[in-house]
Amino acid sequence: MKYLLLSNGLRMAGLPRWAARALSRLLLIGAVLGGASQLWAAELAGRVVGVSDGDTITVLTASKQSVRVRLQGIDAPESHQAFGSVSKRALSGRVFGKHVSVRYDTQDRYGRVLGVVYLGSEDVNLAMVRDGMAWHYKFYARDQSPADRQRYALAEEGAQTARIGLWRDASPTPPWDFRRAQR
């Protein structure tokens, strides 16, 4: 059977619109119940050509489009904040010059793609939290799937308990508090 995937769902040739919508909903429910942690509107892939800080990269796509990407679900120390340069170096060491894929469904207020970066099958955003290089950005946790919220929270708790990365400091200043104090 021929089909065409549209942004508003699956449209199958020869099926009435109501049947195609019903099938689309069933597939969505199946994906959620089947363990999909997040459904994404889009995906891009390319080589990382820039790392601005511990939570922002620039990806050059195959079509030579330069895309700024903000890592969703995390917040890294600011560049001029304690541990900021260490966080940036950690992200750079992990992804700079490498081919990554980014799954996303929105942009932030600065026009950056807001998504999850994958190096192969590794969730780079989660790895940054797990390694103590960034906080789980709980203020925006509602934008994550419940499974991702739990994984990121547990990763941060593990880094804190192990006192690795920025958690070596007894009470590190979260970047959102640092930014507020700078205003």
Side-chain angles (χ1 to χ4, degrees):
M1 187 177 292
K2 293 181 181 179
Y3 64 90
L4 176 63
L5 187 60
L6 301 173
S7 62
N8 63 350
L10 187 66
R11 177 76 173 130
M12 299 187 111
L15 285 181
R17 184 174 295 282
W18 67 267
R21 283 186 184 145
L23 181 58
S24 183
R25 286 185 186 114
L26 285 174
L27 290 172
L28 177 64
I29 290 168
V32 171
L33 295 177
S37 64
Q38 181 97 20
L39 297 173
W40 301 99
E43 183 169 347
L44 67 89
R47 188 170 47 87
V48 176
V49 295
V51 177
S52 302
D53 55 28
D55 57 28
T56 307
I57 62 174
T58 302
V59 176
L60 185 66
T61 66
S63 62
K64 303 295 183 206
Q65 180 185 11
S66 181
V67 181
R68 287 187 39 90
V69 178
R70 170 71 164 75
L71 280 64
Q72 182 180 32
I74 75 171
D75 200 4
E78 296 296 318
S79 298
H80 49 284
Q81 180 181 357
F83 216 77
S85 61
V86 175
S87 178
K88 177 181 177 177
R89 278 195 309 272
L91 182 58
S92 185
R94 187 177 298 275
V95 299
F96 186 77
K98 297 180 182 165
H99 187 80
V100 299
S101 61
V102 181
R103 295 180 188 152
Y104 68 97
D105 57 9
T106 189
Q107 292 182 334
D108 68 8
R109 63 182 176 183
Y110 304 108
R112 300 175 295 190
V113 164
L114 187 58
V116 179
V117 176
Y118 289 91
L119 182 60
S121 62
E122 179 186 34
D123 178 339
V124 173
N125 306 25
L126 179 62
M128 290 293 287
V129 175
R130 183 195 64 227
D131 295 345
M133 298 295 148
W135 277 262
H136 175 215
Y137 206 174
K138 293 174 187 75
F139 185 77
Y140 291 105
R142 68 185 178 280
D143 297 335
Q144 294 178 294
S145 70
D148 282 349
R149 274 194 299 271
Q150 184 177 19
R151 277 197 300 274
Y152 282 54
L154 289 172
E156 181 178 276
E157 187 178 308
Q160 268 183 298
T161 301
R163 300 188 61 76
I164 59 173
L166 60 90
W167 300 107
R168 291 182 194 138
D169 186 347
S171 67
T173 302
W176 52 90
D177 288 343
F178 182 82
R179 289 188 294 267
R180 191 176 308 122
Q182 298 297 306
R183 293 184 193 135

